[in-house]
Amino acid sequence: MKLLSTELFSPRVIKTSFVALCCASLFSCSSSLSTSSLQRDGSAYISQVQAQARANVISNVQYDLTFFLSEHSQFSAISTVHFDLSSVPKSLTLDLNKANIKQFSINGTKVYPNYNGAYIVINQSLLVSGNNTVVVEFTREHSTNGEGLHRFVDPVDNNVYLYSHFEPAAAQQMFAVFDQPDLKATYQINVHAPKDWQVISAMRETNVVDQGDTNLWTFPVTPKLSPYNFSMHAGPYKVWEDNSGRYPMRLFSRQSVADQVAPQDWFTYTKQGLAFFDRYFDIDYPFKKYDQVLVPDFLYGAMENAGAITFSEDRFLFNAQMTAEQKERLAGVIMHEMAHQWFGDLVTMKWWNGLWLNESFASFMGTLATSEATEFSHAWRTFYASGKQAAYHQDSLVTTHPIEVPVPTSQNAFDNIDAITYQKGASTIKQLRHLLGEETFRRGVSQYLQQYSYKNAELDDFINSLAKASGRDLSQWTKEWLYAAGVNTIKAQYTCQGNQIDSFALIQTAEDSQHPTLREQRVQIGLFNTHRYGLEMQQSHAVTYKGAYTEINELIGEICPDLVYPNYDDWGFVKVELDQKSFTTAKQQLNLVSDPLLRSMLWQSMWDSVVDGKTSMEQFINIVLINAPLEKDYTILGQVLDNMQRAKNYLDLMAPMHSSYNSKISKALSQMSLRMSMEHYRNRDFQRRWFDAYINLSSHGDALEHIQSLLKNKSHIKGLTIDQDLRWAMIRQLNRYDYGDAHALLAAEKRLDQSDSGEKAAIAAEVIRPESALKRQWLNRIEHNDNMAFSKIRVAMYNLYPAEQKLLSAATAEQRFANLPLMDDKGPVFMRSFAAQLIPMDCSSSNIDAISHVLNRQTSLSALTRRALLEARQQEQRCINIKQMLN
């Protein structure tokens, strides 16, 4: 893109300077890179410098791939890799992970491969400038951890299902590949598969030939894609089709779970989304057909493979009619992955530091599409109540980081993939849209996608497209929002005289001295007064504030408000601290606030004041007990109950302190949840939400007895259908407290439900039992992974030590701390779950000391694990602060 002025559009300068600093510390940048910096370390990971050097000499990559699939644990394949070299490099590697190579040739010459199990070093003397061809014939074990070509055996009917997952760099686990995003390529595949199998890929098959015991599936050449965007899935999948829209749509699931799929909802949201994005981007959907595949054992919610999107069964199979919440979640994830088809697949980042922009943009566009193209017009409220709060929380931690960060190697690609990456990034894009104007923003995005179609791009390419469309200098915005870490807080400071405002200012503060940036952004200030029916808006006023103190003289003379909310309608990414008068008004009038978004934001400000140590948890719980039963908005109720569950976890961790108060509150909360479950018998969605809370908050004898009675059909709640998911949730809770004949109920249910979801639910219910020997047995299985699928190991991690089982957790805390290096060696996929759930928590100073000891002594731990320890230590201190504020 030709820039109008270097001074006007300068984010490239900012990025270049930032990268230069990173190079100084990470890559030892110089006019010529040292040979050693280009030598790989023998692992499957590649550094940014090494990837860039490879991309500098390679172009026109084409993959011709043949796969021989069966029900066995291995697959066979032939990878034919065509590529051009601008010159023959001193060293060139081709990625292929843990394969057994049968034959290998370079430009027609068969040679013995120089292969270390992670990559092949290609013989330099056999390469030529211009076109080259490498052929690798190999066998490989299927993966069982959700990466590469994953294999799953259905416990119900023993059918075998395969699916691929390559992000960030796991295509090398399925074929020989230059596994980096900036070496886009075309893919032509042929697949030999059992006769009753479906085969799904980026393109629709052109031919299926009967070969006796197998079929040969032939697929046309794809458009140019990064390796992580390509995919292939195979198995006896159930298929639904819908050709009523502009593009043919298909949906796939395992045969045994087909009755838990609602295909019409999938097709409705998909068709609505495709029409919306075609119109918004002004570019036709690039991949001609739209396939969606529900797969088991999936690591994430979904993955944006071009033309063949995968979704986690765990989140999108339903044993009964979907609730409103489940439908909205389905629509939102469909839209998120669909946005990636343009922003991520059609235009792709050059390196993994750009992954945040892919995810942030998809989160923003997915929410926008859900709000404007489906029945869920309140999608931005849902985004605020869940995603944005997670971003505020993450950005307030000691491990906060800029949105744009360097990624030294492919091993570090997911180190900073978190709520800052997704929701803070999406929030900044949303407020940039407010700043530029909706149509200007849309036009800039469309121009960006058109210019870089089927290519790779960087952050400054995107920012420059928006800058050109708007004629604005976005360099300062980019510096403040994308390269500076931390979240700010604003608070209204005003005085009144004679019932009129005589001074008004916004006070902006940074979270701490480590992240002092005070940002500029545009927000709305809402002024409210009480009347006999609740709060009434007096006016809203849009302002742009910056720095520590911004006077708002336009509000002088207005009626003195009872409540001020300085981020009304959620334009800005900023935490709000209510002034004392507004906080008091909010407490007293909360259930009478008619604006649901404002009510949601007020609820959140109250919970934030607890976490920040400014309000006691007792005060928050009292507000919940009074106001939650009056809440008429389903989304807000979920937000309140989630925070209520967090409060209960804090109380459990505080034991033995405040045990009497905890017991009293536990009974009050479960009784409130049961009462509301009964009252909402005419509203299935509300009843289900309240009943879920009743199960999760029940810990004393009367409530557990009632749950057991419901499970045995000795009691009933009007309007409530207890489906299989609820049965397992109830059995898990009974086993959590080892109540009654919980263990026998678990054994009986395990015999009745032998599905994959049933197996996982049974593990959860068993692992959570308060038995010391059982805990040690399962911890040993987790640490040594006795060939159990990782998806089941992960379930065990998440249920091993609930908050109230402090003594059981303490019994193995020393072991878990000591074994962190061994766990770290299992890689980032394993460690992300282990660190999130099994770093010991105790709400005590002694545990803070223990975590500090590990950080000081085990200095070789990965960045991911050290980050988790730092966050755990901060969480412990927050718990102590909250404990000290309780009476």
Side-chain angles (χ1 to χ4, degrees):
M1 178 173 64
K2 186 178 186 297
L3 300 183
L4 300 179
S5 161
T6 304
E7 291 76 24
L8 182 58
F9 307 115
S10 56
R12 184 181 297 275
V13 176
I14 295 171
K15 181 166 186 177
T16 302
S17 301
F18 187 76
V19 171
L21 290 172
C22 296
C23 286
S25 60
L26 294 171
F27 307 135
S28 188
C29 292
S30 62
S31 57
S32 61
L33 289 166
S34 65
T35 303
S36 61
S37 68
L38 297 178
Q39 295 295 321
R40 297 180 65 176
D41 62 4
S43 75
Y45 305 112
I46 189 169
S47 74
Q48 183 176 10
V49 168
Q50 293 158 354
Q52 185 175 354
R54 188 160 68 173
N56 285 343
V57 297
I58 294 176
S59 60
N60 298 325
V61 185
Q62 305 167 50
Y63 296 104
D64 294 333
L65 308 173
T66 300
F67 298 99
F68 301 87
L69 307 178
S70 70
E71 295 182 339
H72 301 301
S73 64
Q74 280 193 345
F75 67 95
S76 302
I78 302 171
S79 296
T80 302
V81 188
H82 306 284
F83 56 97
D84 289 349
L85 288 176
S86 59
S87 62
V88 177
K90 291 182 179 179
S91 177
L92 182 65
T93 59
L94 182 68
D95 305 305
L96 180 63
N97 188 274
K98 297 181 180 178
N100 181 16
I101 297 177
K102 302 296 186 183
Q103 287 193 57
F104 178 70
S105 68
I106 305 171
N107 291 328
T109 302
K110 290 184 179 180
V111 294
Y112 189 82
N114 182 1
Y115 178 55
N116 65 358
Y119 52 82
I120 303 163
V121 179
I122 302 177
N123 190 323
Q124 179 188 15
S125 65
L126 296 176
L127 294 171
V128 297
S129 295
N131 186 254
N132 294 265
T133 300
V134 173
V135 181
V136 190
E137 183 176 345
F138 64 94
T139 60
R140 192 190 190 281
E141 290 290 323
H142 287 286
S143 75
T144 57
N145 72 342
E147 292 189 310
L149 188 56
H150 181 93
R151 177 177 180 266
F152 174 85
V153 181
D154 192 324
V156 174
D157 53 22
N158 291 317
N159 278 334
V160 172
Y161 294 88
L162 311 178
Y163 65 86
S164 69
H165 181 81
F166 298 153
E167 189 181 32
Q172 60 191 274
Q173 296 184 33
M174 194 174 100
F175 57 95
V177 57
F178 299 115
D179 207 352
Q180 59 191 75
D182 59 341
L183 280 175
K184 284 198 165 189
T186 61
Y187 304 77
Q188 194 281 313
I189 67 171
N190 300 289
V191 182
H192 300 263
K195 294 184 73 65
D196 61 338
W197 282 22
Q198 298 283 337
V199 181
I200 308 122
S201 190
M203 307 295 287
R204 186 71 181 261
E205 70 278 1
T206 53
N207 206 8
V208 182
V209 177
D210 188 335
Q211 293 189 318
D213 292 337
T214 62
N215 286 337
L216 171 59
W217 295 66
T218 302
F219 293 80
V221 176
T222 70
K224 282 191 173 183
L225 297 170
S226 291
Y228 85 96
N229 294 140
F230 177 69
S231 68
M232 188 270 288
H233 324 290
Y237 285 99
K238 165 75 174 177
V239 57
W240 296 269
E241 298 191 51
D242 187 326
N243 296 309
S244 62
R246 186 177 180 188
Y247 308 102
M249 300 178 292
R250 295 188 298 177
L251 177 66
F252 299 85
S253 79
R254 288 188 290 128
Q255 299 280 350
S256 66
V257 299
D259 61 350
Q260 298 175 55
V261 179
Q264 193 51 56
D265 289 320
W266 284 81
F267 290 137
T268 297
Y269 299 138
T270 302
K271 190 160 51 174
Q272 289 170 337
L274 286 167
F276 175 85
F277 286 120
D278 269 0
R279 187 169 60 250
Y280 190 93
F281 294 138
D282 200 21
I283 299 173
D284 288 349
Y285 168 65
F287 303 113
K288 308 309 177 188
K289 57 90 179 176
Y290 206 89
D291 289 340
Q292 297 174 107
V293 191
L294 280 156
V295 296
D297 290 354
F298 205 57
L299 290 170
Y300 312 105
M303 176 62 200
E304 66 267 19
N305 314 303
I309 300 90
T310 40
F311 293 80
S312 171
E313 281 185 354
D314 290 345
R315 304 188 190 191
F316 300 106
L317 290 179
F318 308 104
N319 283 306
Q321 182 183 357
M322 276 195 284
T323 64
E325 178 188 24
Q326 291 165 339
K327 285 190 175 186
E328 184 178 357
R329 184 171 74 239
L330 174 61
V333 176
I334 286 175
M335 300 303 175
H336 178 105
E337 304 307 327
M338 191 179 291
H340 274 308
Q341 302 298 299
W342 284 265
F343 204 108
D345 295 1
L346 178 65
V347 179
T348 313
M349 74 269 167
K350 285 186 177 179
W351 182 244
W352 301 112
N353 62 304
L355 195 56
W356 79 264
L357 183 57
N358 278 4
E359 298 303 342
S360 293
F361 187 83
S363 294
F364 166 78
M365 285 303 307
T367 307
L368 182 66
T370 304
S371 68
E372 295 190 8
T374 75
E375 69 265 36
F376 304 109
S377 57
H378 61 269
W380 284 114
R381 279 202 290 114
T382 304
F383 175 82
Y384 171 83
S386 54
K388 199 165 185 179
Q389 295 314 311
Y392 286 145
H393 170 74
Q394 192 74 48
D395 216 14
S396 300
L397 297 178
V398 292
T399 53
T400 185
H401 55 84
I403 295 176
E404 172 80 5
V405 293
V407 177
T409 77
S410 56
Q411 182 179 17
N412 305 111
F414 279 1
D415 281 358
N416 291 303
I417 296 298
D418 53 26
I420 292 173
T421 306
Y422 281 75
Q423 286 85 15
K424 181 181 180 180
S427 299
T428 61
I429 291 172
K430 181 185 178 188
Q431 56 112 325
L432 180 59
R433 180 172 175 251
H434 278 297
L435 185 68
L436 301 183
E438 294 181 9
E439 178 53 27
T440 299
F441 178 85
R442 188 205 66 77
R443 189 170 63 251
V445 168
S446 178
Q447 291 168 356
Y448 167 79
L449 293 173
Q450 289 175 25
Q451 180 170 359
Y452 295 100
S453 288
Y454 302 108
K455 299 176 185 176
N456 296 90
E458 297 179 287
L459 170 62
D460 56 339
D461 298 318
F462 177 66
I463 294 297
N464 284 337
S465 293
L466 296 177
K468 183 178 180 180
S470 63
R472 295 185 64 141
D473 180 355
L474 295 177
S475 58
Q476 186 64 27
W477 183 91
T478 304
K479 180 180 179 181
E480 289 182 355
W481 286 102
L482 305 184
Y483 291 108
V487 62
N488 301 121
T489 299
I490 56 172
K491 180 179 181 179
Q493 178 178 290
Y494 61 97
T495 59
C496 296
Q497 188 166 353
N499 200 34
Q500 287 185 317
I501 297 173
D502 65 351
S503 70
F504 197 106
L506 288 181
I507 308 301
Q508 179 180 200
T509 56
E511 194 72 20
D512 55 55
S513 59
Q514 297 297 313
H515 306 288
T517 302
L518 297 178
R519 298 169 175 87
E520 176 181 353
Q521 65 177 322
R522 191 163 178 80
V523 296
Q524 289 189 101
I525 300 172
L527 306 181
F528 301 85
N529 285 97
T530 58
H531 61 88
R532 60 183 299 185
Y533 300 111
L535 272 182
E536 182 179 54
M537 174 176 276
Q538 177 180 319
Q539 70 157 292
S540 64
H541 187 75
V543 301
T544 300
Y545 70 87
K546 61 181 178 179
Y549 183 87
T550 303
E551 288 187 352
I552 313 296
N553 294 324
E554 301 94 312
L555 295 179
I556 293 175
E558 295 292 334
I559 297 173
C560 190
D562 293 315
L563 183 145
V564 176
Y565 202 84
N567 187 24
Y568 178 67
D569 213 24
D570 195 33
W571 283 14
F573 183 82
V574 62
K575 292 174 70 174
V576 169
E577 181 183 347
L578 294 174
D579 64 271
Q580 188 55 53
K581 182 179 181 182
S582 295
F583 190 91
T584 301
T585 301
K587 283 194 304 180
Q588 296 171 347
Q589 301 287 329
L590 190 57
N591 65 300
L592 298 177
V593 176
S594 59
D595 183 333
L597 178 56
L598 176 62
R599 197 162 69 251
S600 175
M601 297 171 91
L602 292 172
W603 269 113
Q604 193 59 42
S605 290
M606 292 178 187
W607 174 247
D608 287 344
S609 68
V610 174
V611 176
D612 294 340
K614 297 173 182 176
T615 303
S616 74
M617 184 180 291
E618 184 178 21
Q619 189 173 13
F620 176 80
I621 291 173
N622 289 339
I623 294 171
V624 170
L625 288 170
I626 294 169
N627 289 280
L630 303 173
E631 184 54 63
K632 304 301 182 186
D633 185 276
Y634 182 79
T635 301
I636 298 174
L637 177 61
Q639 172 191 356
V640 174
L641 292 177
D642 284 347
N643 284 334
M644 191 64 258
Q645 185 63 61
R646 293 184 183 100
K648 180 65 170 66
N649 288 343
Y650 273 124
L651 287 172
D652 287 337
L653 279 171
M654 292 174 190
M657 287 187 66
H658 308 300
S659 57
S660 176
Y661 175 72
N662 188 2
S663 176
K664 180 179 73 172
I665 288 301
S666 296
K667 291 180 180 179
L669 292 173
S670 66
Q671 288 168 358
M672 174 184 70
S673 301
L674 175 59
R675 184 178 76 252
M676 299 311 297
S677 299
M678 293 175 170
E679 288 185 9
H680 282 286
Y681 65 89
R682 290 190 179 93
N683 188 316
R684 179 178 177 273
D685 292 333
F686 268 82
Q687 185 177 55
R688 180 62 178 255
R689 175 146 277 174
W690 276 112
F691 189 70
D692 285 341
Y694 175 54
I695 295 172
N696 292 328
L697 293 168
S698 292
S699 58
H700 60 282
D702 290 346
L704 294 171
E705 170 61 32
H706 182 233
I707 288 173
Q708 182 171 272
S709 179
L710 288 168
L711 195 61
K712 293 180 175 181
N713 290 319
K714 294 180 179 179
S715 299
H716 302 276
I717 294 176
K718 185 177 180 180
L720 181 68
T721 300
I722 300 180
D723 59 25
Q724 187 62 64
D725 290 339
L726 278 182
R727 289 187 63 82
W728 275 119
M730 295 159 78
I731 288 170
R732 175 184 175 275
Q733 194 71 0
L734 291 172
N735 278 275
R736 179 174 181 169
Y737 294 96
D738 194 17
Y739 183 84
D741 53 356
H743 199 263
L745 289 169
L746 165 58
E749 202 71 22
K750 191 174 179 180
R751 288 192 298 270
L752 291 172
D753 182 8
Q754 298 184 18
S755 66
D756 176 60
S757 60
E759 288 183 350
K760 290 172 181 171
I763 289 172
E766 178 181 333
V767 166
I768 209 168
R769 289 181 59 78
E771 299 176 13
S772 178
L774 182 70
K775 300 287 185 187
R776 290 186 178 276
Q777 176 188 342
W778 271 102
L779 180 60
N780 183 64
R781 296 183 79 174
I782 290 167
E783 291 184 338
H784 301 290
N785 198 355
D786 55 352
N787 297 317
M788 179 177 282
F790 179 67
S791 61
K792 294 182 171 64
I793 289 292
R794 188 166 59 169
V795 169
M797 291 182 190
Y798 275 70
N799 289 276
L800 191 58
Y801 293 116
E804 77 281 355
Q805 294 180 9
K806 280 185 60 176
L807 294 178
L808 291 169
S809 176
T812 63
E814 187 175 341
Q815 173 185 338
R816 279 137 63 201
F817 279 133
N819 287 347
L820 274 177
L822 297 175
M823 301 303 98
D824 215 17
D825 287 343
K826 292 177 179 289
V829 169
F830 179 93
M831 202 58 202
R832 276 194 296 274
S833 293
F834 187 94
Q837 299 301 321
L838 291 181
I839 291 176
M841 302 297 289
D842 190 59
C843 199
S844 67
S845 298
S846 60
N847 197 50
I848 289 178
D849 292 341
I851 294 172
S852 297
H853 181 76
V854 172
L855 284 165
N856 293 334
R857 296 290 296 273
Q858 298 183 21
T859 56
S860 62
L861 292 172
S862 69
L864 185 154
T865 302
R866 292 189 64 82
R867 172 180 169 171
L869 286 162
L870 289 167
E871 291 176 358
R873 184 169 66 182
Q874 183 180 13
Q875 182 69 4
E876 284 286 88
Q877 186 60 59
R878 283 183 173 177
C879 186
I880 291 170
N881 295 343
I882 293 170
K883 178 167 61 175
Q884 290 173 347
M885 284 202 68
L886 270 172
N887 294 328

